[in-house]
mmCIF file of all heavy atoms in Angstrom:
data_model
loop_
_atom_site.group_PDB
_atom_site.id
_atom_site.type_symbol
_atom_site.label_atom_id
_atom_site.label_comp_id
_atom_site.label_asym_id
_atom_site.label_seq_id
_atom_site.Cartn_x
_atom_site.Cartn_y
_atom_site.Cartn_z
ATOM 1 N N SER Z 1 0.818 -1.217 0.000
ATOM 2 C CA SER Z 1 0.000 0.000 0.000
ATOM 3 C C SER Z 1 0.849 1.264 0.000
ATOM 4 O O SER Z 1 0.318 2.365 0.165
ATOM 5 C CB SER Z 1 -0.914 0.005 1.234
ATOM 6 O OG SER Z 1 -0.154 0.164 2.422
ATOM 7 N N ASN Z 2 2.169 1.095 -0.163
ATOM 8 C CA ASN Z 2 3.095 2.237 -0.110
ATOM 9 C C ASN Z 2 2.985 3.006 1.199
ATOM 10 O O ASN Z 2 3.088 4.236 1.226
ATOM 11 C CB ASN Z 2 2.851 3.182 -1.302
ATOM 12 C CG ASN Z 2 3.179 2.524 -2.628
ATOM 13 O OD1 ASN Z 2 4.206 1.861 -2.762
ATOM 14 N ND2 ASN Z 2 2.302 2.692 -3.601
ATOM 15 N N GLY Z 3 2.746 2.256 2.270
ATOM 16 C CA GLY Z 3 2.692 2.874 3.585
ATOM 17 C C GLY Z 3 1.366 3.511 3.939
ATOM 18 O O GLY Z 3 1.227 4.095 5.012
ATOM 19 N N ASP Z 4 0.370 3.377 3.057
ATOM 20 C CA ASP Z 4 -0.937 3.976 3.340
ATOM 21 C C ASP Z 4 -1.716 3.185 4.387
ATOM 22 O O ASP Z 4 -2.584 3.726 5.066
ATOM 23 C CB ASP Z 4 -1.773 4.076 2.054
ATOM 24 C CG ASP Z 4 -1.231 5.132 1.099
ATOM 25 O OD1 ASP Z 4 -0.496 6.025 1.568
ATOM 26 O OD2 ASP Z 4 -1.535 5.049 -0.099
ATOM 27 N N ILE Z 5 -1.418 1.885 4.491
ATOM 28 C CA ILE Z 5 -2.058 1.058 5.514
ATOM 29 C C ILE Z 5 -0.975 0.504 6.435
ATOM 30 O O ILE Z 5 -0.055 -0.178 5.984
ATOM 31 C CB ILE Z 5 -2.854 -0.110 4.892
ATOM 32 C CG1 ILE Z 5 -3.887 0.397 3.890
ATOM 33 C CG2 ILE Z 5 -3.540 -0.922 5.983
ATOM 34 C CD1 ILE Z 5 -4.637 -0.708 3.169
ATOM 35 N N ILE Z 6 -1.077 0.816 7.704
ATOM 36 C CA ILE Z 6 -0.119 0.345 8.701
ATOM 37 C C ILE Z 6 -0.818 -0.647 9.617
ATOM 38 O O ILE Z 6 -1.843 -0.328 10.234
ATOM 39 C CB ILE Z 6 0.449 1.509 9.541
ATOM 40 C CG1 ILE Z 6 1.139 2.533 8.625
ATOM 41 C CG2 ILE Z 6 1.407 0.983 10.610
ATOM 42 C CD1 ILE Z 6 2.325 1.997 7.855
ATOM 43 N N VAL Z 7 -0.290 -1.864 9.674
ATOM 44 C CA VAL Z 7 -0.887 -2.927 10.486
ATOM 45 C C VAL Z 7 -0.023 -3.172 11.717
ATOM 46 O O VAL Z 7 1.181 -3.407 11.604
ATOM 47 C CB VAL Z 7 -1.023 -4.234 9.673
ATOM 48 C CG1 VAL Z 7 -1.583 -5.353 10.549
ATOM 49 C CG2 VAL Z 7 -1.916 -4.012 8.456
ATOM 50 N N THR Z 8 -0.640 -3.114 12.877
ATOM 51 C CA THR Z 8 0.038 -3.443 14.125
ATOM 52 C C THR Z 8 -0.443 -4.806 14.590
ATOM 53 O O THR Z 8 -1.646 -5.034 14.738
ATOM 54 C CB THR Z 8 -0.273 -2.398 15.219
ATOM 55 O OG1 THR Z 8 0.168 -1.104 14.759
ATOM 56 C CG2 THR Z 8 0.439 -2.736 16.522
ATOM 57 N N VAL Z 9 0.490 -5.733 14.806
ATOM 58 C CA VAL Z 9 0.141 -7.090 15.223
ATOM 59 C C VAL Z 9 0.040 -7.145 16.747
ATOM 60 O O VAL Z 9 0.926 -6.676 17.458
ATOM 61 C CB VAL Z 9 1.183 -8.109 14.728
ATOM 62 C CG1 VAL Z 9 0.778 -9.534 15.122
ATOM 63 C CG2 VAL Z 9 1.340 -8.009 13.215
ATOM 64 N N GLU Z 10 -1.051 -7.697 17.208
ATOM 65 C CA GLU Z 10 -1.320 -7.767 18.648
ATOM 66 C C GLU Z 10 -1.376 -9.235 19.082
ATOM 67 O O GLU Z 10 -2.049 -10.045 18.446
ATOM 68 C CB GLU Z 10 -2.656 -7.078 18.934
ATOM 69 C CG GLU Z 10 -2.934 -6.821 20.402
ATOM 70 C CD GLU Z 10 -4.200 -5.980 20.580
ATOM 71 O OE1 GLU Z 10 -4.169 -4.776 20.243
ATOM 72 O OE2 GLU Z 10 -5.215 -6.547 21.041
ATOM 73 N N GLU Z 11 -0.666 -9.554 20.142
ATOM 74 C CA GLU Z 11 -0.662 -10.935 20.638
ATOM 75 C C GLU Z 11 -2.023 -11.302 21.215
ATOM 76 O O GLU Z 11 -2.746 -10.462 21.738
ATOM 77 C CB GLU Z 11 0.410 -11.102 21.721
ATOM 78 C CG GLU Z 11 0.571 -12.539 22.199
ATOM 79 C CD GLU Z 11 1.685 -12.706 23.207
ATOM 80 O OE1 GLU Z 11 2.161 -11.689 23.748
ATOM 81 O OE2 GLU Z 11 2.074 -13.858 23.460
ATOM 82 N N SER Z 12 -2.354 -12.583 21.101
ATOM 83 C CA SER Z 12 -3.631 -13.079 21.599
ATOM 84 C C SER Z 12 -3.413 -14.383 22.343
ATOM 85 O O SER Z 12 -2.434 -15.092 22.113
ATOM 86 C CB SER Z 12 -4.589 -13.300 20.422
ATOM 87 O OG SER Z 12 -5.627 -14.183 20.770
ATOM 88 N N GLN Z 13 -4.353 -14.721 23.197
ATOM 89 C CA GLN Z 13 -4.295 -16.003 23.899
ATOM 90 C C GLN Z 13 -5.071 -17.085 23.161
ATOM 91 O O GLN Z 13 -5.120 -18.229 23.596
ATOM 92 C CB GLN Z 13 -4.846 -15.840 25.321
ATOM 93 C CG GLN Z 13 -3.995 -14.938 26.193
ATOM 94 C CD GLN Z 13 -2.527 -15.357 26.216
ATOM 95 O OE1 GLN Z 13 -2.210 -16.495 26.538
ATOM 96 N NE2 GLN Z 13 -1.640 -14.438 25.876
ATOM 97 N N GLY Z 14 -5.687 -16.718 22.031
ATOM 98 C CA GLY Z 14 -6.389 -17.733 21.265
ATOM 99 C C GLY Z 14 -7.570 -17.196 20.489
ATOM 100 O O GLY Z 14 -7.985 -16.041 20.642
ATOM 101 N N SER Z 15 -8.119 -18.058 19.647
ATOM 102 C CA SER Z 15 -9.183 -17.668 18.720
ATOM 103 C C SER Z 15 -10.466 -17.244 19.417
ATOM 104 O O SER Z 15 -11.176 -16.358 18.945
ATOM 105 C CB SER Z 15 -9.477 -18.821 17.759
ATOM 106 O OG SER Z 15 -8.357 -19.091 16.950
ATOM 107 N N VAL Z 16 -10.787 -17.890 20.544
ATOM 108 C CA VAL Z 16 -12.016 -17.530 21.260
ATOM 109 C C VAL Z 16 -11.925 -16.095 21.753
ATOM 110 O O VAL Z 16 -12.867 -15.307 21.619
ATOM 111 C CB VAL Z 16 -12.276 -18.499 22.436
ATOM 112 C CG1 VAL Z 16 -13.466 -18.021 23.266
ATOM 113 C CG2 VAL Z 16 -12.530 -19.916 21.923
ATOM 114 N N GLN Z 17 -10.776 -15.731 22.319
ATOM 115 C CA GLN Z 17 -10.572 -14.353 22.778
ATOM 116 C C GLN Z 17 -10.718 -13.374 21.614
ATOM 117 O O GLN Z 17 -11.339 -12.314 21.757
ATOM 118 C CB GLN Z 17 -9.182 -14.188 23.401
ATOM 119 C CG GLN Z 17 -8.901 -12.761 23.879
ATOM 120 C CD GLN Z 17 -7.428 -12.508 24.207
ATOM 121 O OE1 GLN Z 17 -6.610 -13.402 24.162
ATOM 122 N NE2 GLN Z 17 -7.112 -11.273 24.526
ATOM 123 N N ASN Z 18 -10.162 -13.736 20.464
ATOM 124 C CA ASN Z 18 -10.236 -12.858 19.290
ATOM 125 C C ASN Z 18 -11.688 -12.555 18.915
ATOM 126 O O ASN Z 18 -12.043 -11.411 18.608
ATOM 127 C CB ASN Z 18 -9.539 -13.515 18.100
ATOM 128 C CG ASN Z 18 -8.035 -13.654 18.296
ATOM 129 O OD1 ASN Z 18 -7.492 -13.192 19.292
ATOM 130 N ND2 ASN Z 18 -7.389 -14.306 17.360
ATOM 131 N N VAL Z 19 -12.518 -13.603 18.928
ATOM 132 C CA VAL Z 19 -13.933 -13.424 18.590
ATOM 133 C C VAL Z 19 -14.634 -12.584 19.651
ATOM 134 O O VAL Z 19 -15.400 -11.667 19.326
ATOM 135 C CB VAL Z 19 -14.637 -14.787 18.439
ATOM 136 C CG1 VAL Z 19 -16.128 -14.592 18.169
ATOM 137 C CG2 VAL Z 19 -14.006 -15.593 17.309
ATOM 138 N N MET Z 20 -14.377 -12.869 20.913
ATOM 139 C CA MET Z 20 -15.022 -12.140 22.001
ATOM 140 C C MET Z 20 -14.744 -10.641 21.921
ATOM 141 O O MET Z 20 -15.624 -9.822 22.179
ATOM 142 C CB MET Z 20 -14.561 -12.678 23.356
ATOM 143 C CG MET Z 20 -15.039 -14.097 23.674
ATOM 144 S SD MET Z 20 -16.828 -14.240 23.861
ATOM 145 C CE MET Z 20 -17.058 -13.415 25.436
ATOM 146 N N GLU Z 21 -13.523 -10.286 21.521
ATOM 147 C CA GLU Z 21 -13.155 -8.868 21.483
ATOM 148 C C GLU Z 21 -13.835 -8.107 20.355
ATOM 149 O O GLU Z 21 -13.840 -6.873 20.347
ATOM 150 C CB GLU Z 21 -11.631 -8.719 21.407
ATOM 151 C CG GLU Z 21 -10.944 -9.118 22.706
ATOM 152 C CD GLU Z 21 -9.512 -8.627 22.794
ATOM 153 O OE1 GLU Z 21 -9.120 -7.747 22.001
ATOM 154 O OE2 GLU Z 21 -8.791 -9.122 23.672
ATOM 155 N N ALA Z 22 -14.414 -8.838 19.404
ATOM 156 C CA ALA Z 22 -15.143 -8.177 18.307
ATOM 157 C C ALA Z 22 -16.329 -7.387 18.844
ATOM 158 O O ALA Z 22 -16.832 -6.479 18.181
ATOM 159 C CB ALA Z 22 -15.606 -9.213 17.286
ATOM 160 N N ARG Z 23 -16.779 -7.711 20.068
ATOM 161 C CA ARG Z 23 -17.930 -7.006 20.660
ATOM 162 C C ARG Z 23 -17.605 -5.553 20.966
ATOM 163 O O ARG Z 23 -18.487 -4.690 20.933
ATOM 164 C CB ARG Z 23 -18.371 -7.711 21.944
ATOM 165 C CG ARG Z 23 -18.823 -9.152 21.766
ATOM 166 C CD ARG Z 23 -19.176 -9.795 23.085
ATOM 167 N NE ARG Z 23 -18.048 -9.805 24.008
ATOM 168 C CZ ARG Z 23 -18.096 -10.254 25.259
ATOM 169 N NH1 ARG Z 23 -19.234 -10.721 25.747
ATOM 170 N NH2 ARG Z 23 -17.017 -10.236 26.017
ATOM 171 N N ALA Z 24 -16.344 -5.292 21.308
ATOM 172 C CA ALA Z 24 -15.992 -3.959 21.800
ATOM 173 C C ALA Z 24 -15.039 -3.178 20.897
ATOM 174 O O ALA Z 24 -14.841 -1.985 21.090
ATOM 175 C CB ALA Z 24 -15.364 -4.084 23.192
ATOM 176 N N ARG Z 25 -14.458 -3.839 19.912
ATOM 177 C CA ARG Z 25 -13.478 -3.171 19.048
ATOM 178 C C ARG Z 25 -14.168 -2.358 17.960
ATOM 179 O O ARG Z 25 -15.333 -2.556 17.639
ATOM 180 C CB ARG Z 25 -12.563 -4.216 18.408
ATOM 181 C CG ARG Z 25 -11.701 -4.994 19.389
ATOM 182 C CD ARG Z 25 -10.597 -4.129 20.002
ATOM 183 N NE ARG Z 25 -9.642 -4.937 20.727
ATOM 184 C CZ ARG Z 25 -8.343 -5.011 20.447
ATOM 185 N NH1 ARG Z 25 -7.840 -4.273 19.465
ATOM 186 N NH2 ARG Z 25 -7.550 -5.768 21.158
ATOM 187 N N GLY Z 26 -13.374 -1.467 17.359
ATOM 188 C CA GLY Z 26 -13.908 -0.579 16.319
ATOM 189 C C GLY Z 26 -13.613 -1.065 14.921
ATOM 190 O O GLY Z 26 -13.288 -2.238 14.692
ATOM 191 N N GLY Z 27 -13.669 -0.144 13.984
ATOM 192 C CA GLY Z 27 -13.511 -0.470 12.575
ATOM 193 C C GLY Z 27 -12.091 -0.763 12.152
ATOM 194 O O GLY Z 27 -11.852 -1.093 10.990
ATOM 195 N N ASP Z 28 -11.141 -0.641 13.073
ATOM 196 C CA ASP Z 28 -9.742 -0.918 12.743
ATOM 197 C C ASP Z 28 -9.324 -2.322 13.177
ATOM 198 O O ASP Z 28 -8.149 -2.677 13.120
ATOM 199 C CB ASP Z 28 -8.824 0.100 13.415
ATOM 200 C CG ASP Z 28 -8.906 0.049 14.937
ATOM 201 O OD1 ASP Z 28 -9.878 -0.515 15.473
ATOM 202 O OD2 ASP Z 28 -7.981 0.575 15.596
ATOM 203 N N TYR Z 29 -10.283 -3.140 13.609
ATOM 204 C CA TYR Z 29 -9.969 -4.436 14.202
ATOM 205 C C TYR Z 29 -10.066 -5.565 13.179
ATOM 206 O O TYR Z 29 -11.112 -5.783 12.560
ATOM 207 C CB TYR Z 29 -10.935 -4.711 15.357
ATOM 208 C CG TYR Z 29 -10.686 -5.992 16.129
ATOM 209 C CD1 TYR Z 29 -9.440 -6.275 16.676
ATOM 210 C CD2 TYR Z 29 -11.712 -6.921 16.321
ATOM 211 C CE1 TYR Z 29 -9.221 -7.440 17.412
ATOM 212 C CE2 TYR Z 29 -11.511 -8.085 17.060
ATOM 213 C CZ TYR Z 29 -10.260 -8.338 17.598
ATOM 214 O OH TYR Z 29 -10.048 -9.491 18.316
ATOM 215 N N VAL Z 30 -8.954 -6.285 13.021
ATOM 216 C CA VAL Z 30 -8.912 -7.499 12.201
ATOM 217 C C VAL Z 30 -8.416 -8.618 13.103
ATOM 218 O O VAL Z 30 -7.495 -8.425 13.897
ATOM 219 C CB VAL Z 30 -7.973 -7.338 10.989
ATOM 220 C CG1 VAL Z 30 -7.816 -8.657 10.235
ATOM 221 C CG2 VAL Z 30 -8.494 -6.252 10.053
ATOM 222 N N PHE Z 31 -9.020 -9.794 12.997
ATOM 223 C CA PHE Z 31 -8.612 -10.909 13.853
ATOM 224 C C PHE Z 31 -8.702 -12.215 13.082
ATOM 225 O O PHE Z 31 -9.402 -12.312 12.068
ATOM 226 C CB PHE Z 31 -9.479 -10.975 15.115
ATOM 227 C CG PHE Z 31 -10.934 -11.258 14.854
ATOM 228 C CD1 PHE Z 31 -11.450 -12.546 14.961
ATOM 229 C CD2 PHE Z 31 -11.808 -10.227 14.502
ATOM 230 C CE1 PHE Z 31 -12.799 -12.802 14.717
ATOM 231 C CE2 PHE Z 31 -13.158 -10.485 14.268
ATOM 232 C CZ PHE Z 31 -13.655 -11.767 14.372
ATOM 233 N N THR Z 32 -7.990 -13.219 13.567
ATOM 234 C CA THR Z 32 -8.018 -14.523 12.919
ATOM 235 C C THR Z 32 -8.713 -15.543 13.820
ATOM 236 O O THR Z 32 -8.563 -15.516 15.033
ATOM 237 C CB THR Z 32 -6.601 -15.018 12.592
ATOM 238 O OG1 THR Z 32 -5.862 -15.200 13.810
ATOM 239 C CG2 THR Z 32 -5.875 -14.022 11.715
ATOM 240 N N THR Z 33 -9.452 -16.443 13.172
ATOM 241 C CA THR Z 33 -10.147 -17.503 13.904
ATOM 242 C C THR Z 33 -10.698 -18.505 12.890
ATOM 243 O O THR Z 33 -10.923 -18.147 11.729
ATOM 244 C CB THR Z 33 -11.297 -16.929 14.764
ATOM 245 O OG1 THR Z 33 -11.770 -17.917 15.673
ATOM 246 C CG2 THR Z 33 -12.438 -16.457 13.908
ATOM 247 N N PRO Z 34 -10.932 -19.742 13.296
ATOM 248 C CA PRO Z 34 -11.642 -20.667 12.412
ATOM 249 C C PRO Z 34 -13.086 -20.197 12.217
ATOM 250 O O PRO Z 34 -13.725 -19.753 13.179
ATOM 251 C CB PRO Z 34 -11.608 -21.994 13.191
ATOM 252 C CG PRO Z 34 -10.445 -21.862 14.129
ATOM 253 C CD PRO Z 34 -10.427 -20.417 14.507
ATOM 254 N N PRO Z 35 -13.630 -20.268 11.010
ATOM 255 C CA PRO Z 35 -15.016 -19.835 10.771
ATOM 256 C C PRO Z 35 -16.039 -20.508 11.678
ATOM 257 O O PRO Z 35 -17.062 -19.911 12.010
ATOM 258 C CB PRO Z 35 -15.243 -20.213 9.301
ATOM 259 C CG PRO Z 35 -13.890 -20.168 8.685
ATOM 260 C CD PRO Z 35 -12.951 -20.651 9.745
ATOM 261 N N VAL Z 36 -15.755 -21.740 12.096
ATOM 262 C CA VAL Z 36 -16.706 -22.452 12.956
ATOM 263 C C VAL Z 36 -16.936 -21.717 14.272
ATOM 264 O O VAL Z 36 -18.044 -21.734 14.825
ATOM 265 C CB VAL Z 36 -16.238 -23.913 13.213
ATOM 266 C CG1 VAL Z 36 -14.937 -23.947 14.008
ATOM 267 C CG2 VAL Z 36 -17.317 -24.708 13.934
ATOM 268 N N LEU Z 37 -15.905 -21.024 14.779
ATOM 269 C CA LEU Z 37 -16.066 -20.289 16.042
ATOM 270 C C LEU Z 37 -16.971 -19.075 15.858
ATOM 271 O O LEU Z 37 -17.713 -18.708 16.774
ATOM 272 C CB LEU Z 37 -14.709 -19.862 16.601
ATOM 273 C CG LEU Z 37 -13.830 -20.958 17.192
ATOM 274 C CD1 LEU Z 37 -12.632 -20.340 17.924
ATOM 275 C CD2 LEU Z 37 -14.604 -21.860 18.141
ATOM 276 N N VAL Z 38 -16.901 -18.443 14.705
ATOM 277 C CA VAL Z 38 -17.797 -17.315 14.426
ATOM 278 C C VAL Z 38 -19.240 -17.817 14.392
ATOM 279 O O VAL Z 38 -20.145 -17.183 14.948
ATOM 280 C CB VAL Z 38 -17.430 -16.639 13.084
ATOM 281 C CG1 VAL Z 38 -18.469 -15.578 12.718
ATOM 282 C CG2 VAL Z 38 -16.048 -16.010 13.172
ATOM 283 N N ARG Z 39 -19.437 -18.972 13.768
ATOM 284 C CA ARG Z 39 -20.778 -19.551 13.705
ATOM 285 C C ARG Z 39 -21.302 -19.886 15.112
ATOM 286 O O ARG Z 39 -22.466 -19.638 15.427
ATOM 287 C CB ARG Z 39 -20.756 -20.805 12.827
ATOM 288 C CG ARG Z 39 -22.150 -21.319 12.455
ATOM 289 C CD ARG Z 39 -22.111 -22.275 11.282
ATOM 290 N NE ARG Z 39 -21.431 -23.523 11.590
ATOM 291 C CZ ARG Z 39 -20.278 -23.902 11.057
ATOM 292 N NH1 ARG Z 39 -19.675 -23.115 10.176
ATOM 293 N NH2 ARG Z 39 -19.723 -25.049 11.362
ATOM 294 N N LEU Z 40 -20.449 -20.437 15.953
ATOM 295 C CA LEU Z 40 -20.848 -20.762 17.328
ATOM 296 C C LEU Z 40 -21.167 -19.495 18.118
ATOM 297 O O LEU Z 40 -22.128 -19.457 18.898
ATOM 298 C CB LEU Z 40 -19.735 -21.550 18.031
ATOM 299 C CG LEU Z 40 -19.507 -22.989 17.543
ATOM 300 C CD1 LEU Z 40 -18.268 -23.578 18.207
ATOM 301 C CD2 LEU Z 40 -20.723 -23.863 17.819
ATOM 302 N N ALA Z 41 -20.364 -18.443 17.919
ATOM 303 C CA ALA Z 41 -20.599 -17.175 18.631
ATOM 304 C C ALA Z 41 -21.939 -16.582 18.218
ATOM 305 O O ALA Z 41 -22.713 -16.103 19.058
ATOM 306 C CB ALA Z 41 -19.461 -16.193 18.339
ATOM 307 N N GLN Z 42 -22.214 -16.609 16.919
ATOM 308 C CA GLN Z 42 -23.465 -16.030 16.423
ATOM 309 C C GLN Z 42 -24.681 -16.828 16.879
ATOM 310 O O GLN Z 42 -25.771 -16.289 16.999
ATOM 311 C CB GLN Z 42 -23.405 -15.942 14.898
ATOM 312 C CG GLN Z 42 -22.395 -14.894 14.423
ATOM 313 C CD GLN Z 42 -22.169 -14.902 12.924
ATOM 314 O OE1 GLN Z 42 -22.475 -15.870 12.230
ATOM 315 N NE2 GLN Z 42 -21.613 -13.809 12.405
ATOM 316 N N GLY Z 43 -24.447 -18.117 17.188
ATOM 317 C CA GLY Z 43 -25.552 -18.949 17.674
ATOM 318 C C GLY Z 43 -25.589 -19.060 19.184
ATOM 319 O O GLY Z 43 -26.502 -19.698 19.737
ATOM 320 N N GLY Z 44 -24.609 -18.442 19.876
ATOM 321 C CA GLY Z 44 -24.551 -18.517 21.338
ATOM 322 C C GLY Z 44 -24.361 -19.939 21.847
ATOM 323 O O GLY Z 44 -24.912 -20.320 22.877
ATOM 324 N N LYS Z 45 -23.552 -20.718 21.135
ATOM 325 C CA LYS Z 45 -23.376 -22.127 21.477
ATOM 326 C C LYS Z 45 -21.974 -22.422 21.998
ATOM 327 O O LYS Z 45 -21.067 -21.615 21.861
ATOM 328 C CB LYS Z 45 -23.657 -23.006 20.248
ATOM 329 C CG LYS Z 45 -25.086 -22.902 19.722
ATOM 330 C CD LYS Z 45 -25.273 -23.739 18.471
ATOM 331 C CE LYS Z 45 -26.698 -23.640 17.943
ATOM 332 N NZ LYS Z 45 -26.878 -24.413 16.685
#
């Protein structure tokens, strides 16, 4: 991006934490997780 996009990598304790933090983070938040965990979160399972 020629420096137009700067990504800061943040350590995590795991995929579940990454999904949980989506509740409070803003539009600058990108996280990694297996899609199945997103499905479980959306279903409250």
Side-chain angles (χ1 to χ4, degrees):
S1 68
N2 295 316
D4 289 339
I5 304 176
I6 301 298
V7 177
T8 300
V9 182
E10 192 173 289
E11 185 177 14
S12 160
Q13 294 307 305
S15 296
V16 174
Q17 179 193 356
N18 293 356
V19 177
M20 292 295 288
E21 290 196 15
R23 299 177 301 177
R25 296 290 191 120
D28 62 343
Y29 183 54
V30 174
F31 64 97
T32 63
T33 192
V36 65
L37 288 190
V38 173
R39 192 163 67 247
L40 290 173
Q42 291 172 341
K45 298 177 180 178

